Amino acid sequence: MIEAVGLTKSYGDKTAVYQLSFQVRPGVVTGFLGPNGSGKSTTMRMTVGLDEPTAGTVTVNGLPYRRLPNAARQVGALLDAKAVHGGRSAREHLLCLAQLSGVPSSRVDEVIDVVGLGEVAHKRSKGFSLGMGQRLGIAGALLGDPPVLLFDEPVNGLDPEGILWIRNLMKQLASEGRTVLVSSHLMSEMALTADHLIVIGRGQLLADMSVKDFIAHNSQGYARVRVPEDRPDDPEKLRTALARAGGQLLPEEDGGFRVTGLALPQISDLAHEADVRLWELSPHHASLEEAYMQMTQGAVDYRATVDTRSSLQPLPQGMPGQGHAPQGHAPQGHGYPAGPGHPAPGAQGYPQQGYAPQPMPQQPGTGYGTPAPGGHPPQQQPWPGGAPGTQPYAAPTPGAPTSDSEAAR
Amino acid sequence: MAHLTRVLKSEWTKVTTVRSTLWTLVLAFFLTVSIGIAFSALLKNLSNEERGGPLDPTYVSFSGMSMGQLAMVAFGVLVVSGEYSTGMIRASLGAVPQRGVFMAAKLVACTALALLVGMVTSVATFFGSQLVLGEEKASITDDGVLRAVVCGGLYMTLMALFSMGVTWMLRSPLLAFSILMPFFFIVSGILGVVEATRKIAQFLPDQAGMTMLAVNDLTDFDRAYGPGGALLIMLAWVAAALIGGYVMLKRRDA
């Protein structure tokens, strides 16, 4: 059990973690999510006593890490896979750690086999690939057979086989009754691995709930509907019928429609009454990624902007920013892009855009709204006078077609 | 206590499993011994006038130590900065959150190794040089010679220990090297020669350390202290560096 109470960490006048309180319970895999720079690593470092909190406490099984008797046997952590002296072999590195915590050297060979580094155990770790380094780091965490485990981005650099292995390992460790805290950026991976989520943004707690609840709370499911193409009046008829019942019909890229605000059987009934045949009526379940994006949009520190390529090459006419550049559409309503011009079939739009600039839909209650132009600090703002969210690494190019976030303001 | 012995064992594994750090010790040995013997061979054939005074066969045999000490400094810098530059410090402190215990164990393990190499080097350069010096040679049983040889080994060890303390304050190998190396290689030497700064320079760690190696005739050195005082001055420097390093380690985030 890991417990944080009012955990705060400041570096000078920059606050990395602010008033963070949560519990990580044994028996389940807890996912630790947040955008880059949101304080995940800082929190984990404080948990294992590397950083001293500015205020508040974080305890493992009731004791601060530095006061735990033989801490290495109680907590295993993968914080930085490359935290290895390159001149030492994998086995020697693990042996150092094993001796530190009083683990017999036979255990070293055991964990080497567990993580699949048997063949390179005597090679100097300098030549290890990212994935091999990751495995070595995981071996180090497992060494003391600890009841509490922390993994910071464990799947970084692993191949698909390795990712699957990690996923099963986490689940197995949790099923043995251990406390497992895993941070990651890979939402699809988290959706498969984690049972519980702790989401932070800008160092503050955004959510602490089960994966299922998280998705339900932070995204809106909808129905996909398709009507026969040879009957041009049908969409209008359906729209009217649905609108009367309080639903909304929005066109999609591929000619289909999305219906929000109504349950599937109701849509079917209304269509039937309006004499509209449906070729498709399917539920759309929001993914963890969508829910996560929805929640953290206002809390992203580092955003990409459109690469204008400084006129290095003439942009072909009629292809405004294809490829990885986000489109200039402005999503309406609850943040789902609608209307023509949206490039992605399926209309999720998120995978293509990644961390690209988007207007930030107001999340009531989270306190992470769009930083208002004119410098009104968002509510609950721990940084006095600062203007967070102003894309510190995205220098606006004068005269460049500015991103849609500007356009939306 | 059981805990400390475990950490000690681990630190011993650490220091003995990285080839680059071991090379610095090998280098310290060869530099000191080869330069010591070479100087002895060179000075043996010169007259007293050419040498500028009678030959001190013991002190001549330690001529290589001014170079060998740099390798010892490098050893001290590497064993500590290796933790920081690689990030290993996070794994180490993760396993041993008691930073004082961690630091003590590292110091003991590394100092033991440095002391071993330092003593072997000092003894080897002394006897090697005496072989070359022929009839000018000193005997280990002569007055003060044994003490000088022991102090030679101590001196090299203390230099390594001093740089460990300094590196613990600076953490970066680049920073530590770029401060310690020029200082001991050039600055200290210049300060010791220039008349105006000489009085102060004699209290610098390496200048004091070299005084420890003198057998009996201290007039050459023009020091305000004897070999015993020299040892105390060196110990004070080492203690100051280590205390500084400990305070930094304790206070800063890893």
Side-chain angles (χ1 to χ4, degrees):
Chain A
M1 164 93 102
I2 303 169
E3 186 166 18
V5 180
L7 198 59
T8 302
K9 177 75 185 177
S10 317
Y11 298 99
D13 55 358
K14 190 181 184 321
T15 302
V17 173
Y18 185 74
Q19 288 288 329
L20 198 57
S21 298
F22 61 81
Q23 287 186 342
V24 185
R25 285 169 206 84
V28 290
V29 178
T30 303
F32 196 27
L33 308 181
N36 287 338
S38 59
K40 296 189 299 291
S41 296
T42 307
T43 305
M44 287 187 149
R45 289 165 52 81
M46 284 192 281
T47 308
V48 296
L50 291 175
D51 287 10
E52 191 72 50
T54 311
T57 55
V58 54
T59 55
V60 178
N61 294 332
L63 279 177
Y65 189 81
R66 290 192 200 183
R67 297 218 331 256
L68 279 177
N70 202 354
R73 295 294 292 275
Q74 308 226 26
V75 183
L78 164 78
L79 293 185
D80 179 359
K82 279 281 168 188
V84 175
H85 197 300
R88 242 173 241 133
S89 76
R91 193 176 184 284
E92 286 164 353
H93 169 73
L94 291 172
L95 190 62
C96 291
L97 295 182
Q99 288 170 338
L100 276 182
S101 45
V103 171
S105 60
S106 56
R107 173 71 183 153
V108 171
D109 299 311
E110 244 170 68
V111 291
I112 285 175
D113 287 336
V114 166
V115 301
L117 286 178
E119 279 174 36
V120 291
H122 293 280
K123 294 241 165 67
R124 285 204 262 177
S125 63
K126 211 178 282 179
F128 278 18
S129 70
L130 188 56
M132 285 153 82
Q134 207 75 22
R135 284 167 189 266
L136 182 56
I138 291 163
L142 297 177
L143 206 52
D145 196 24
V148 176
L149 289 135
L150 289 95
F151 298 93
D152 197 1
E153 303 282 347
V155 296
N156 260 5
L158 285 180
D159 51 17
E161 190 265 331
I163 292 176
L164 180 68
W165 165 68
I166 280 279
R167 189 190 304 155
N168 292 332
L169 179 72
M170 304 278 142
K171 288 182 171 174
Q172 189 205 326
L173 290 169
S175 71
E176 290 165 4
R178 295 173 213 261
T179 305
V180 183
L181 182 65
V182 192
S183 85
S184 183
H185 289 128
L186 298 176
M187 290 305 126
S188 48
E189 192 47 44
M190 270 294 148
L192 290 170
T193 314
D195 311 292
H196 195 87
L197 290 181
I198 292 170
V199 186
I200 64 172
R202 291 177 186 279
Q204 287 181 305
L205 192 70
L206 293 185
D208 182 354
M209 54 181 78
S210 76
V211 175
K212 229 173 84 189
D213 289 350
F214 181 78
I215 295 174
H217 276 105
N218 292 287
S219 64
Q220 202 170 357
Y222 57 84
R224 275 186 49 82
V225 167
R226 188 182 289 274
V227 295
E229 277 144 24
D230 55 351
R231 297 178 61 173
D233 294 343
D234 275 9
E236 206 37 56
K237 276 201 279 183
L238 188 61
R239 185 191 307 279
T240 320
L242 293 177
R244 242 180 285 140
Q248 229 189 338
L249 188 74
L250 300 164
E252 297 245 280
E253 260 296 284
D254 58 352
F257 298 88
R258 80 167 56 179
V259 179
T260 55
L262 290 173
L264 259 61
Q266 227 181 330
I267 297 170
S268 174
D269 289 349
L270 288 167
H272 182 72
E273 284 161 22
D275 192 25
V276 176
R277 276 185 294 140
L278 296 182
W279 279 8
E280 182 191 339
L281 176 60
S282 60
H284 173 92
H285 295 295
S287 68
L288 177 61
E289 182 167 42
E290 285 172 8
Y292 171 80
M293 287 297 187
Q294 184 90 345
M295 164 163 273
T296 57
Q297 266 169 353
V300 172
D301 268 326
Y302 309 104
R303 260 169 214 287
T305 53
V306 182
D307 182 3
T308 57
R309 300 198 183 87
S310 293
S311 60
L312 287 175
Q313 44 176 283
L315 213 65
Q317 288 292 312
M319 297 182 53
Q322 260 193 5
H324 60 280
Q327 303 292 301
H329 65 266
Q332 295 128 13
H334 39 266
Y336 286 111
H342 182 66
Q348 284 136 5
Y350 294 115
Q352 283 82 5
Q353 291 178 346
Y355 288 87
Q358 293 173 3
M360 303 158 194
Q362 290 288 346
Q363 274 288 322
T366 58
Y368 288 101
T370 314
H376 303 296
Q379 46 191 83
Q380 286 183 26
Q381 189 44 259
W383 298 275
T390 45
Q391 311 176 10
Y393 286 94
T397 320
T402 40
S403 60
D404 51 352
S405 57
E406 255 87 8
R409 285 175 195 165
Chain B
M1 65 204 212
H3 188 48
L4 186 61
T5 47
R6 286 204 311 261
V7 184
L8 261 176
K9 214 165 126 191
S10 165
E11 287 302 330
W12 181 255
T13 309
K14 272 186 197 171
V15 72
T16 50
T17 48
V18 175
R19 265 183 263 172
S20 56
T21 38
L22 293 182
W23 275 113
T24 59
L25 294 177
V26 174
L27 200 65
F29 177 85
F30 278 107
L31 277 177
T32 309
V33 175
S34 60
I35 294 174
I37 291 175
F39 259 70
S40 304
L42 199 71
L43 290 177
K44 178 185 75 164
N45 297 321
L46 300 181
S47 66
N48 275 356
E49 290 82 58
E50 285 168 312
R51 292 180 202 140
L55 185 77
D56 178 343
T58 314
Y59 195 71
V60 164
S61 72
F62 294 137
S63 307
M65 246 175 218
S66 54
M67 290 304 284
Q69 65 168 356
L70 296 181
M72 288 306 257
V73 167
F75 170 77
V77 169
L78 284 177
V79 290
V80 175
S81 68
E83 290 273 347
Y84 287 100
S85 59
T86 59
M88 181 75 186
I89 185 78
R90 290 190 279 280
S92 301
L93 287 181
V96 191
Q98 300 81 9
R99 298 186 177 189
V101 172
F102 168 66
M103 184 176 177
K106 187 176 273 307
L107 289 177
V108 169
C110 296
T111 307
L113 196 59
L115 186 64
L116 180 75
V117 174
M119 284 299 171
V120 169
T121 305
S122 189
V123 168
T125 195
F126 174 77
F127 284 105
S129 300
Q130 304 319 311
L131 278 180
V132 176
L133 283 169
E135 51 208 52
E136 303 236 33
K137 76 181 163 100
S139 160
I140 190 79
T141 51
D142 289 354
D143 218 18
V145 169
L146 181 62
R147 193 211 67 229
V149 172
V150 170
C151 279
L154 270 184
Y155 172 63
M156 296 193 87
T157 314
L158 289 174
M159 285 305 272
L161 207 48
F162 176 73
S163 18
M164 283 185 233
V166 170
T167 312
W168 237 308
M169 288 190 265
L170 301 172
R171 304 206 280 186
S172 143
L174 211 62
L175 207 58
F177 273 124
S178 58
I179 287 177
L180 287 173
M181 287 298 177
F183 184 81
F184 287 129
F185 197 54
I186 303 166
V187 179
S188 166
I190 292 173
L191 293 180
V193 173
V194 175
E195 200 56 49
T197 52
R198 209 179 169 141
K199 286 268 180 293
I200 302 152
Q202 60 172 324
F203 293 105
L204 292 174
D206 59 329
Q207 304 253 338
M210 287 311 247
T211 314
M212 287 167 24
L213 309 178
V215 175
N216 37 35
D217 184 16
L218 285 173
T219 47
D220 272 5
F221 285 94
D222 184 25
R223 295 280 196 255
Y225 49 83
L231 180 61
L232 287 181
I233 291 170
M234 264 224 86
L235 286 174
W237 278 101
V238 169
L242 291 178
I243 290 169
Y246 176 71
V247 170
M248 291 295 200
L249 177 70
K250 199 80 179 166
R251 280 182 44 189
R252 272 195 293 209
D253 292 332

